[in-house]
């Protein structure tokens, strides 16, 4: 059993790095400042979690456009709505659970229904926290996806953070941006990823299997695809579904060719999230592909290290490989990691 | 102000009376609705929309305009009647009130158009929106004022106090809140449902300037709003004690959240109001 000894970077404080002397990367915070310098209407609202949401960067860089609301998520959504009605583009920040589950009615009535230009930014997606069930947003996508007119975005890690913030700020309407904090610096030669709202990104192509993934599962899916090819000769497509709503239906249907397995992978409940969204498209188009959802299987989770939780709840690369192989009736020839 | 204060008060009282008549007519179309709240709050709506708010040509396109947020969105008959009286809504549209497909809904929504500043009705949300507007206005150096009409029952919603705390914390002296203390909620007398007194002390404790007033006394209301206008550094709360059904003696004091209003009662009520005008 993995022992959880330290908080993840996204947990309450990151003023002291939990990674020794390594600087805590703040790709989201830096991106928001960069975009705010280009778009003067962008405002940054916080709910007592500046460091955890990387908005301390904004607070220090552009203090006149930073508003600390305090531990008042419902009020913060209403305040953001009022500001949007005055022409501002408020980005409201907290942990995803509090922005969505706690303030759902306020989001529905003051953001989604009036189509206000409010950007709701939720951190600690799914299992990415030691803090356990109270802080794990495992149904936030489902909640936000059910609101008419709400756009739901989850970038595939730090490399896509800047593009996500830029796309969201430039889009006129309500958005839920689901953010994971970076856990390590990007490699020097790692290119930043683009993001066009509503346009899925096919990262690799293969004829046997397609994995539709979002957030941290995109990286897992790419690793799984390599293993599947190497070990089992399974040719796999991996599609980054950074926009969960509106879903790129065409991208789904393109993969739905006869005999090809389809898997969704998300750091979220399998109910109501990406898996449901893809299933709806497939079912309505009458596609009969073998289909499987990887995600949190209709259960609340416990606190723990990410690696432990991913293993326990079936979000690890190994699990993804296993179910992919099973789905295509391949037999595991050797024990996976 | 625009004329001799006493004349002004009398004019506003007459307008409030006309609005009350309209409330009866509007609710009578369906035979049931928010009669008691409308009659009780008519003076508050009149004072805000027909005296305090700066409503001018090009009003809706003016980002710095005064705004009033109706947190008690169910109080729609008096709201629509007041908008029409203030020239913010075409009177002809009143004829569609609560009809299927009409933008004049039982609970006020933004479908109506620019004159609805936020869709409330899910109670306790209006003040938060006003805080956002007032804060944004301060940052932009706009001089608009942000009125909120809050029902006394809404004070049972915790968000009210989140918003109260933040308004005071941000020093939003451009907010003027009116708590319509009609003592009525679905289950009956507010204080018997859940104890809320001392209301004025609560707002003071949250950092607000507070003024308590008879919400059916036009002169007193105008004085309160005048104080609010000149208040600095703190948001201002007018605790306005109103009488449900005010203006129609046989309805006054009846705590009925959604009252049946048959044609005979409506006609009798209209007669009383017309005689008083």
């Amino acid at each position: 059993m993995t022992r959880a000894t330290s908080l993840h970077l996204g947990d309450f404080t990151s003023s002291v790095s939990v990674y020794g002397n390594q600087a805590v990367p703040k790709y989201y915070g830096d991106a928001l400042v960069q975009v705010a310098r280009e778009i003067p209407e962008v405002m940054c609202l916080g709910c007592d979690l500046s460091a955890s949401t990387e908005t301390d960067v904004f607070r220090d860089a552009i203090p006149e456009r930073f508003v600390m609301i305090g531990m008042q998520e419902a009020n913060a959504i209403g305040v953001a709505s009022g500001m949007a009605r005055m022409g501002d583009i408020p980005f409201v920040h907290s942990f995803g659970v509090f922005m969505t589950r706690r303030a759902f009615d306020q989001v529905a009535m003051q953001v989604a229904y009036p189509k206000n230009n409010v950007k709701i930014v939720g951190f600690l997606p799914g299992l990415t926290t030691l803090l356990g069930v109270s802080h794990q947003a495992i149904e936030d996508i489902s909640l936000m996806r059910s609101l008419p007119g709400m756009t739901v975005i989850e970038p595939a890690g730090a490399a896509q953070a800047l593009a996500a913030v830029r796309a969201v700020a430039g889009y006129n309407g309500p958005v839920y941006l689901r953010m994971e904090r970076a856990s390590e610096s990007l490699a020097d030669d790692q290119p930043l990823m683009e993001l066009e709202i509503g346009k899925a990104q096919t990262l690799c192509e293969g004829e046997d299997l397609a994995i539709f993934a979002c957030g941290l599962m995109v990286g897992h899916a790419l690793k799984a695809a390599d293993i599947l090819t190497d070990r089992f000769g399974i040719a796999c497509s991996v599609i980054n579904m950074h926009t969960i709503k509106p879903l790129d239906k065409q991208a789904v249907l393109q993969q739905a060719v006869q005999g090809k397995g389809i898997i969704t992978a998300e750091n979220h409940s399998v109910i109501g999230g990406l898996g449901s969204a893809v299933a709806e498209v497939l079912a309505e188009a009458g596609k009969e592909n073998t289909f499987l959802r990887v995600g949190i299987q209709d259960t609340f989770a416990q606190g723990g290290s990410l690696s432990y939780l991913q293993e326990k709840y079936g979000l690890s690369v190994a699990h993804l490989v296993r179910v992919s192989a099973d789905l295509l009736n391949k037999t595991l020839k050797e024990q996976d990691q | 102000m625009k004329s001799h204060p006493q004349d002004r008060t009398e004019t506003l009282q007459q307008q409030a009376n006309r609005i009350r008549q309209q409330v009866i007519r509007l609710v009578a179309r369906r035979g049931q609705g928010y009669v008691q709240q409308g009659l009780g709050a008519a003076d508050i709506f009149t004072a805000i929309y027909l005296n305090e708010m700066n409503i001018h040509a090009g009003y809706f396109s003016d980002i710095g305009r005064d705004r009033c947020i109706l947190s008690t969105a169910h109080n729609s008959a008096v709201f629509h009647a007041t908008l029409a009286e203030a020239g913010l809504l075409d009177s002809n549209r009143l004829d569609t009130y609560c009809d299927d497909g009409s933008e004049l809904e039982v609970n006020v929504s933004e479908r109506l158009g620019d004159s609805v500043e936020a869709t409330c009705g899910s109670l306790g949300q209006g003040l938060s929106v006003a805080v956002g507007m007032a804060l944004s206005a301060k940052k932009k150096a706009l001089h608009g004022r942000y009125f909120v009409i809050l029902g006394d029952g809404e004070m049972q919603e915790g968000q009210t106090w989140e918003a109260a705390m933040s308004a005071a914390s941000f020093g939003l002296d451009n907010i003027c809140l009116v708590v319509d203390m009609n003592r009525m909620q679905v289950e009956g007398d507010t204080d018997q449902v859940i104890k809320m007194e001392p209301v004025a002390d609560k707002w003071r404790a949250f950092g607000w300037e507070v003024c308590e007033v008879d919400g059916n006394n036009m002169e007193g209301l105008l004085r309160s709003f005048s104080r609010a206008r000149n208040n600095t550094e703190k948001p201002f709360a007018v605790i306005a004690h109103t009488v449900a059904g005010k203006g129609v003696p046989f309805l006054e004091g009846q705590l009925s959240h959604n009252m049946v209003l048959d044609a005979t009662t409506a006609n009798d009520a209209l007669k009383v109001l017309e005689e008083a005008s």
Side-chain angles (χ1 to χ4, degrees):
Chain A
M1 184 192 276
T2 311
R3 218 173 132 220
T5 52
S6 60
L7 291 176
H8 298 311
L9 280 176
D11 290 333
F12 286 121
T13 177
S14 60
S15 54
V16 178
S17 171
V18 295
Y19 285 78
N21 295 323
Q22 189 185 332
V24 179
K26 294 196 172 179
Y27 296 100
Y28 173 77
D30 291 340
L32 189 61
V33 168
Q34 191 175 325
V35 170
R37 292 206 193 281
E38 296 161 13
I39 306 175
E41 290 82 9
V42 167
M43 302 287 290
C44 177
L45 278 62
C47 301
D48 193 41
L49 289 168
S50 299
S52 315
T53 58
E54 302 183 12
T55 49
D56 50 344
V57 180
F58 193 106
R59 177 196 63 204
D60 298 342
I62 318 177
E64 67 279 10
R65 282 155 63 188
F66 177 85
V67 182
M68 176 45 68
I69 307 285
M71 278 186 276
Q72 307 190 327
E73 295 79 13
N75 185 40
I77 296 293
V79 170
S81 151
M83 295 177 84
R85 290 165 193 279
M86 300 293 287
D88 295 335
I89 306 176
F91 279 64
V92 201
H93 302 83
S94 184
F95 293 152
V97 271
F98 306 133
M99 286 284 89
T100 59
R101 192 162 73 196
R102 175 173 289 231
F104 186 67
D105 187 32
Q106 287 77 10
V107 172
M109 295 318 301
Q110 302 309 336
V111 179
Y113 172 71
K115 302 184 178 70
N116 271 325
N117 199 12
V118 173
K119 318 304 178 187
I120 298 161
V121 188
F123 281 78
L124 302 195
L127 301 176
T128 58
T129 172
L130 280 177
L131 296 167
V133 66
S134 61
H135 284 62
Q136 283 161 340
I138 63 167
E139 71 290 82
D140 55 332
I141 293 176
S142 176
L143 287 169
M144 292 298 102
R145 202 169 75 85
S146 69
L147 291 173
M150 181 65 81
T151 291
V152 181
I153 310 266
E154 184 175 22
Q160 203 163 33
L162 175 59
V165 173
R166 180 162 282 129
V168 163
Y171 170 80
N172 184 21
V175 176
Y176 175 57
L177 178 59
R178 189 183 207 235
M179 288 301 306
E180 184 196 350
R181 287 208 57 196
S183 57
E184 55 191 17
S185 297
L186 292 172
D188 286 343
D189 58 348
Q190 185 173 354
L192 292 181
M193 291 172 78
E194 292 303 309
L195 191 154
E196 186 184 338
I197 292 176
K199 189 97 181 112
Q201 291 168 317
T202 302
L203 303 177
C204 61
E205 285 270 25
E207 59 197 18
D208 301 322
L209 183 74
I211 304 177
F212 293 93
C214 58
L216 71 82
M217 296 306 286
V218 174
H220 286 16
L222 286 170
K223 283 180 193 156
D226 281 346
I227 296 169
L228 286 164
T229 305
D230 291 349
R231 287 197 199 157
F232 310 108
I234 295 172
C236 193
S237 298
V238 173
I239 304 99
N240 175 13
M241 302 298 279
H242 50 71
T243 305
I244 297 146
K245 186 182 177 187
L247 196 77
D248 187 342
K249 294 181 184 177
Q250 211 187 340
V252 174
L253 295 175
Q254 264 171 8
Q255 298 293 333
V257 293
Q258 203 175 2
K260 193 170 189 177
I262 292 181
I263 288 183
T264 57
E266 58 194 314
N267 174 25
H268 181 271
S269 166
V270 290
I271 296 176
L274 175 65
S276 296
V278 171
E280 287 159 14
V281 173
L282 294 172
E284 282 178 351
K287 301 293 178 187
E288 293 180 357
N289 299 67
T290 49
F291 176 76
L292 191 140
R293 294 168 297 161
V294 169
I296 300 159
Q297 302 291 327
D298 196 22
T299 180
F300 287 105
Q302 56 190 233
S305 70
L306 183 57
S307 56
Y308 168 76
L309 293 175
Q310 287 186 128
E311 195 55 50
K312 181 175 174 74
Y313 295 102
L315 272 68
S316 63
V317 174
H319 181 81
L320 201 45
V321 169
R322 208 156 39 228
V323 297
S324 300
D326 286 350
L327 188 75
L328 293 180
N329 286 322
K330 303 280 178 181
T331 309
L332 278 171
K333 290 178 182 156
E334 55 182 281
Q335 185 90 24
D336 58 18
Q337 299 160 349
Chain B
M1 293 215 46
K2 297 146 195 162
S3 55
H4 189 274
Q6 196 178 335
D7 295 345
R8 183 76 195 137
T9 306
E10 279 171 21
T11 305
L12 289 169
Q13 283 166 339
Q14 284 162 13
Q15 287 176 306
N17 181 289
R18 276 208 296 276
I19 288 169
R20 286 193 164 93
Q21 292 176 44
Q22 200 61 265
V23 167
I24 298 293
R25 288 190 203 101
L26 290 177
V27 177
R29 299 178 80 249
R30 284 279 171 185
Q32 187 171 13
Y34 298 102
V35 188
Q36 297 300 80
Q37 297 89 334
L39 295 177
D43 299 304
I44 294 172
F45 279 77
T46 304
I48 293 176
Y49 277 95
L50 300 167
N51 194 69
E52 276 304 304
M53 276 170 71
N54 178 18
I55 295 165
H56 51 272
Y59 177 71
F60 289 123
S61 58
D62 176 6
I63 185 79
R65 70 181 183 272
D66 290 352
R67 299 176 193 233
C68 180
I69 292 167
L70 181 64
S71 203
T72 49
H74 57 274
N75 212 352
S76 55
V78 67
F79 175 75
H80 292 126
T82 306
L83 288 185
E85 185 75 24
L88 296 176
L89 177 72
D90 181 353
S91 305
N92 294 324
R93 292 177 75 185
L94 293 178
D95 294 336
T96 69
Y97 179 66
C98 294
D99 285 353
D100 288 345
S102 169
E103 292 89 6
L104 278 71
E105 297 170 83
V106 177
N107 257 31
V108 173
S109 91
E110 285 159 276
R111 284 185 62 229
L112 183 65
D114 292 335
S115 52
V116 179
E117 302 288 359
T119 303
C120 297
S122 175
L123 296 175
Q125 297 191 9
L127 185 54
S128 296
V129 178
V131 169
M133 290 173 170
L135 190 60
S136 184
K138 286 261 178 194
K139 287 182 179 290
K140 296 182 201 320
L142 299 172
H143 296 291
R145 296 175 67 204
Y146 302 89
F147 295 90
V148 181
I149 299 174
L150 187 87
D152 47 2
E154 289 193 88
M155 291 186 294
Q156 292 165 12
E157 294 281 0
Q159 190 183 348
T160 302
W161 302 105
E162 293 185 4
M165 214 185 292
S166 62
S169 186
F170 298 137
L172 299 176
D173 52 19
N174 47 355
I175 286 184
C176 177
L177 168 76
V178 184
V179 185
D180 177 7
M181 295 280 291
N182 61 19
R183 303 187 65 84
M184 181 169 54
Q185 62 187 109
V186 175
E187 291 289 322
D189 189 303
T190 43
D191 235 20
Q192 284 174 13
V193 176
I194 192 89
K195 217 166 221 2
M196 291 190 291
E197 290 291 358
V199 170
D201 285 349
K202 284 190 170 70
W203 288 94
R204 275 192 204 98
F206 274 77
W208 287 57
E209 194 69 35
V210 178
C211 153
E212 233 169 326
V213 67
D214 174 351
N216 295 121
N217 180 306
M218 188 59 72
E219 222 177 304
L221 278 171
L222 296 187
R223 267 201 307 275
S224 303
F225 286 124
S226 172
R227 274 184 60 188
R229 207 182 310 137
N230 297 316
N231 194 55
T232 53
E233 294 177 9
K234 287 181 175 185
F236 198 94
V238 178
I239 311 297
H241 297 274
T242 58
V243 174
K246 181 70 184 180
V248 180
F250 59 87
L251 295 179
E252 284 186 7
Q254 283 187 43
L255 302 187
S256 173
H257 184 76
N258 197 320
M259 181 179 255
V260 173
L261 186 71
D262 59 60
T264 311
T265 313
N267 283 333
D268 290 349
L270 274 178
K271 215 173 289 173
V272 172
L273 289 165
E274 281 162 8
E275 280 166 12
S277 65

